[in-house]
Amino acid sequence: MTSSKTVQTDIPRHEDIVDERLVRWFFYASLVYMGISMLGGLLMAAQLVHWYPIQNIEFLSAGRWRMIHTNAVAYGFIANAFLGMLHWVVPRLTLHRVASVWLSYFIFFAWQVIVLSTAGGIIFGPAFQSQDWVMEAARNLHISMNLGAQGLEWGETPFWIDPVALLGLALVAFNFLVPISKAKGSLYVTLWYFMAAFVWTFLTYAMGNFLPEYALAGSSAGAVGGLFIHDLVGLFVTPLGWGLMYYLVPIILKKPIWSHGLSLVGFWGLAFFYPLQGIHHFLYTPIPMFLQYGAVISTIAVEFVVATVVINFFGTIWGDSRMAFKNLPIRWFYTGIVYYFITCFQCALQVTLTFQKLIHFTDWVVGHAHLVMFGVFSQWIFGMMTYLIPRLLKKDWYSNRLCEWHYWCSAVGVFVMFLDLTLAGLFQGYYWAALQPWEVGLNGSQPFWITRIFAGLAMFFGFLCFVYNLVMTMRKGESNATATATA
Amino acid sequence: MESKLAKQIRIWITIVAGAFILIFSGLGFGAKFIELIHTFTGESDGVFAITPMVNYLLATMGFFCMLIWATLNGMFNDVEGPKQTMLERDEMLDAK
Ligand code: HEM
């Protein structure tokens, strides 16, 4: 272990290792995509209750907005926000700057081009599809030239962007693995999670976007698609999210994580058990039962792993629980942790074949998806921004009350949405199991879908409060920034 | 400062949780592995199972090597050390 004395002499200046401007840029970009995604979600929700406001414009049809909604969140909001955080956390943990700051700037612009081209492909791709020159090229090059969305859930990035995105991921991995490799002493758990995420995201993206497109067909492609969807959440978003939590919670609470040993148990458990469970999305499909049961078993193994992580975070805040009320970033984080526990508890039910019989293809799954993507990871990101923005701008928040509005609208809004869709899913499952006509299920879903719009509007309102607060904070005069926002 | 009892509780929870995960998951995975061999040799489905299995092995093999490398390099000799170092470094960075 490196002693604190040696550390003290080696310690660089924060300004020399962290490029704060880059962190800010990534945050701003991520917020733009979040706004677009929420708008897309609201439009899609409106379509389901026959209130779709943009009629008869093919480019802006609801189906395309749905894909914009999910892609803007995953690759626009979450990826940008995490990249911003990584530029803050990795140098501070390793005491080394990224491999190249120029590369970081290149990655910033390249990533925006990738996300925007994905949106362009989704919206305009199908219109180009039928052009003569495209058909001609497809014939000559013997490729599908499917310019619009790729037919793979979460992998809708059109096929021509995939190689560029993969290259982008390789550059990201290189840029951060260099400082991690220079870190002295035993690695802190956050860095283990980050290293894993860089390798996994690259592999997962390659597997999901290339194998079903070029090498596999039928249920084999379906099985890999299942792995891809789940691995994207579990091997890209989860390790980065937990890695950041393991860094930020101790920093803000000013006390170490309860058990570093337990956190390593959680990390290695995730490493070995997570990659097999994707097929649990496809229970009852033609995929051989052998693989379906395998996915069930590894999902149960991951449940144990998750329990260790949650125990560790509650062990850490033990004795300081009032911080969860007083300190807003900590409140965001622990709300997310509680929601995470709920989603994992849901998983324990969902993964049984008995339960799947009822909820498969219903809105239960959509409720689950919102709780995990918004309730957990987006709320963590908002907590990170609430904590870091005053430090980045060297100013206190313009309004702490608006920060509170953001928190309450988001935390309550998403929970209402989750409960509402969970119930909707159960109703739909029973309608279908009773072999009711399809319209009966649709009509029965309407009250739930209307409620979802209002929950979504609350979340959107909270988000607008945050953006307004940010703009006003940027515009207000200099003041002394406190390290922790609204502490 | 953590009391002796609290420290012991923490160590025991870590060991029990680790053992729990390893034993039960190990049994589950072991059984599935034997089943894989039977499926692979005896059923037409067997070949199909190869793609996800190879993906899994690719994804985890690297980590297995890394686990061994980290253990041999003494990364886990002082398991609780890094959590203190991390906090100290961060405070010093802010103090500079
Ligand atoms: C303004 C609030 C939001 C509304 C009204 C909304 C609405 C919707 C709708 C209508 C769908 C399509 C469901 C279907 O196909 O039946 C959807 C899907 C989805 N949304 Fe949202 N959404 C909102 C915010 C978010 C946010 C902020 C995230 C992530 C951070 C998110 C993540 C997802 C995911 C992952 C799916 C795919 C679910 C699946 O395929 O199972 N949504 N959303």
mmCIF file of all heavy atoms in Angstrom, chain A residues 6 52 65 113 126 173 215 233 276 291 295 341 385 389 427 464:
data_model
loop_
_atom_site.group_PDB
_atom_site.id
_atom_site.type_symbol
_atom_site.label_atom_id
_atom_site.label_comp_id
_atom_site.label_asym_id
_atom_site.label_seq_id
_atom_site.Cartn_x
_atom_site.Cartn_y
_atom_site.Cartn_z
ATOM 1 N N THR A 6 4.037 9.333 1.188
ATOM 2 C CA THR A 6 4.498 9.330 -0.205
ATOM 3 C C THR A 6 3.455 9.970 -1.094
ATOM 4 O O THR A 6 3.774 10.711 -2.024
ATOM 5 C CB THR A 6 4.735 7.895 -0.718
ATOM 6 O OG1 THR A 6 3.972 7.005 0.028
ATOM 7 C CG2 THR A 6 6.171 7.527 -0.768
ATOM 8 N N TYR A 52 -51.891 12.048 -30.395
ATOM 9 C CA TYR A 52 -50.623 12.372 -31.065
ATOM 10 C C TYR A 52 -50.717 13.715 -31.790
ATOM 11 O O TYR A 52 -51.550 13.886 -32.688
ATOM 12 C CB TYR A 52 -50.240 11.258 -32.048
ATOM 13 C CG TYR A 52 -48.782 11.332 -32.428
ATOM 14 C CD1 TYR A 52 -47.803 11.128 -31.479
ATOM 15 C CD2 TYR A 52 -48.393 11.630 -33.724
ATOM 16 C CE1 TYR A 52 -46.464 11.214 -31.801
ATOM 17 C CE2 TYR A 52 -47.054 11.709 -34.063
ATOM 18 C CZ TYR A 52 -46.099 11.502 -33.084
ATOM 19 O OH TYR A 52 -44.767 11.596 -33.410
ATOM 20 N N TRP A 65 -40.118 8.236 -33.124
ATOM 21 C CA TRP A 65 -39.850 8.923 -31.862
ATOM 22 C C TRP A 65 -39.515 7.934 -30.755
ATOM 23 O O TRP A 65 -38.740 8.210 -29.866
ATOM 24 C CB TRP A 65 -41.072 9.752 -31.427
ATOM 25 C CG TRP A 65 -41.045 11.130 -31.956
ATOM 26 C CD1 TRP A 65 -41.923 11.675 -32.849
ATOM 27 C CD2 TRP A 65 -40.096 12.164 -31.668
ATOM 28 N NE1 TRP A 65 -41.578 12.979 -33.125
ATOM 29 C CE2 TRP A 65 -40.466 13.301 -32.409
ATOM 30 C CE3 TRP A 65 -38.964 12.245 -30.862
ATOM 31 C CZ2 TRP A 65 -39.752 14.495 -32.359
ATOM 32 C CZ3 TRP A 65 -38.252 13.433 -30.802
ATOM 33 C CH2 TRP A 65 -38.639 14.540 -31.553
ATOM 34 N N VAL A 113 -21.391 13.327 -33.136
ATOM 35 C CA VAL A 113 -21.680 13.002 -34.544
ATOM 36 C C VAL A 113 -22.353 11.625 -34.609
ATOM 37 O O VAL A 113 -23.334 11.420 -35.328
ATOM 38 C CB VAL A 113 -20.381 13.031 -35.388
ATOM 39 C CG1 VAL A 113 -20.628 12.465 -36.779
ATOM 40 C CG2 VAL A 113 -19.854 14.449 -35.482
ATOM 41 N N PRO A 126 -35.263 5.479 -43.615
ATOM 42 C CA PRO A 126 -36.239 4.742 -44.423
ATOM 43 C C PRO A 126 -36.620 5.481 -45.703
ATOM 44 O O PRO A 126 -36.951 4.859 -46.714
ATOM 45 C CB PRO A 126 -37.444 4.620 -43.481
ATOM 46 C CG PRO A 126 -36.878 4.777 -42.112
ATOM 47 C CD PRO A 126 -35.716 5.701 -42.251
ATOM 48 N N ALA A 173 -11.785 3.646 -24.352
ATOM 49 C CA ALA A 173 -11.114 2.674 -23.495
ATOM 50 C C ALA A 173 -9.631 3.016 -23.385
ATOM 51 O O ALA A 173 -9.059 3.068 -22.289
ATOM 52 C CB ALA A 173 -11.297 1.272 -24.055
ATOM 53 N N ALA A 215 -23.696 -12.469 -39.128
ATOM 54 C CA ALA A 215 -23.261 -13.855 -38.973
ATOM 55 C C ALA A 215 -24.369 -14.819 -38.552
ATOM 56 O O ALA A 215 -24.300 -15.990 -38.866
ATOM 57 C CB ALA A 215 -22.129 -13.918 -37.946
ATOM 58 N N VAL A 233 -27.160 -2.917 -20.449
ATOM 59 C CA VAL A 233 -27.528 -2.339 -19.147
ATOM 60 C C VAL A 233 -26.526 -2.801 -18.089
ATOM 61 O O VAL A 233 -26.046 -2.012 -17.275
ATOM 62 C CB VAL A 233 -28.959 -2.770 -18.746
ATOM 63 C CG1 VAL A 233 -29.309 -2.196 -17.374
ATOM 64 C CG2 VAL A 233 -29.964 -2.311 -19.776
ATOM 65 N N LEU A 276 -24.103 -14.040 -18.629
ATOM 66 C CA LEU A 276 -24.909 -15.159 -19.152
ATOM 67 C C LEU A 276 -26.406 -14.919 -19.100
ATOM 68 O O LEU A 276 -27.178 -15.709 -19.618
ATOM 69 C CB LEU A 276 -24.612 -16.414 -18.314
ATOM 70 C CG LEU A 276 -23.783 -17.487 -18.988
ATOM 71 C CD1 LEU A 276 -23.779 -18.739 -18.142
ATOM 72 C CD2 LEU A 276 -24.275 -17.819 -20.389
ATOM 73 N N LEU A 291 -30.567 -23.247 -22.453
ATOM 74 C CA LEU A 291 -30.021 -21.895 -22.313
ATOM 75 C C LEU A 291 -30.939 -21.022 -21.460
ATOM 76 O O LEU A 291 -30.488 -20.174 -20.697
ATOM 77 C CB LEU A 291 -29.846 -21.266 -23.694
ATOM 78 C CG LEU A 291 -28.677 -21.817 -24.490
ATOM 79 C CD1 LEU A 291 -28.680 -21.274 -25.902
ATOM 80 C CD2 LEU A 291 -27.360 -21.465 -23.816
ATOM 81 N N ALA A 295 -29.864 -19.066 -18.057
ATOM 82 C CA ALA A 295 -30.033 -17.630 -17.803
ATOM 83 C C ALA A 295 -30.740 -17.410 -16.465
ATOM 84 O O ALA A 295 -30.409 -16.481 -15.714
ATOM 85 C CB ALA A 295 -30.839 -16.998 -18.928
ATOM 86 N N PHE A 341 -32.738 -1.595 -5.709
ATOM 87 C CA PHE A 341 -33.113 -2.798 -4.967
ATOM 88 C C PHE A 341 -34.503 -3.279 -5.415
ATOM 89 O O PHE A 341 -34.727 -4.471 -5.600
ATOM 90 C CB PHE A 341 -33.090 -2.507 -3.459
ATOM 91 C CG PHE A 341 -33.295 -3.746 -2.656
ATOM 92 C CD1 PHE A 341 -32.275 -4.688 -2.553
ATOM 93 C CD2 PHE A 341 -34.500 -4.003 -2.035
ATOM 94 C CE1 PHE A 341 -32.468 -5.860 -1.844
ATOM 95 C CE2 PHE A 341 -34.695 -5.171 -1.318
ATOM 96 C CZ PHE A 341 -33.677 -6.098 -1.219
ATOM 97 N N MET A 385 -24.559 15.589 -11.022
ATOM 98 C CA MET A 385 -24.531 16.950 -11.576
ATOM 99 C C MET A 385 -24.842 17.966 -10.479
ATOM 100 O O MET A 385 -24.221 19.028 -10.416
ATOM 101 C CB MET A 385 -25.547 17.068 -12.711
ATOM 102 C CG MET A 385 -25.151 16.313 -13.953
ATOM 103 S SD MET A 385 -26.390 16.543 -15.218
ATOM 104 C CE MET A 385 -25.646 15.649 -16.577
ATOM 105 N N ILE A 389 -21.804 20.494 -10.465
ATOM 106 C CA ILE A 389 -21.951 21.744 -11.225
ATOM 107 C C ILE A 389 -21.499 22.972 -10.420
ATOM 108 O O ILE A 389 -20.759 23.813 -10.954
ATOM 109 C CB ILE A 389 -23.367 21.859 -11.826
ATOM 110 C CG1 ILE A 389 -23.407 20.960 -13.061
ATOM 111 C CG2 ILE A 389 -23.731 23.308 -12.197
ATOM 112 C CD1 ILE A 389 -24.735 20.788 -13.722
ATOM 113 N N PHE A 427 -52.735 -6.228 -15.458
ATOM 114 C CA PHE A 427 -54.059 -6.259 -16.097
ATOM 115 C C PHE A 427 -53.962 -6.849 -17.502
ATOM 116 O O PHE A 427 -54.713 -7.731 -17.882
ATOM 117 C CB PHE A 427 -54.632 -4.835 -16.187
ATOM 118 C CG PHE A 427 -55.419 -4.446 -14.958
ATOM 119 C CD1 PHE A 427 -54.777 -4.029 -13.810
ATOM 120 C CD2 PHE A 427 -56.814 -4.526 -14.951
ATOM 121 C CE1 PHE A 427 -55.491 -3.680 -12.674
ATOM 122 C CE2 PHE A 427 -57.534 -4.173 -13.806
ATOM 123 C CZ PHE A 427 -56.871 -3.750 -12.654
ATOM 124 N N LEU A 464 -37.096 20.455 -16.457
ATOM 125 C CA LEU A 464 -37.043 21.852 -16.897
ATOM 126 C C LEU A 464 -36.594 22.766 -15.753
ATOM 127 O O LEU A 464 -35.852 23.725 -15.964
ATOM 128 C CB LEU A 464 -38.421 22.298 -17.419
ATOM 129 C CG LEU A 464 -38.855 21.642 -18.733
ATOM 130 C CD1 LEU A 464 -40.213 22.172 -19.172
ATOM 131 C CD2 LEU A 464 -37.824 21.869 -19.839
#
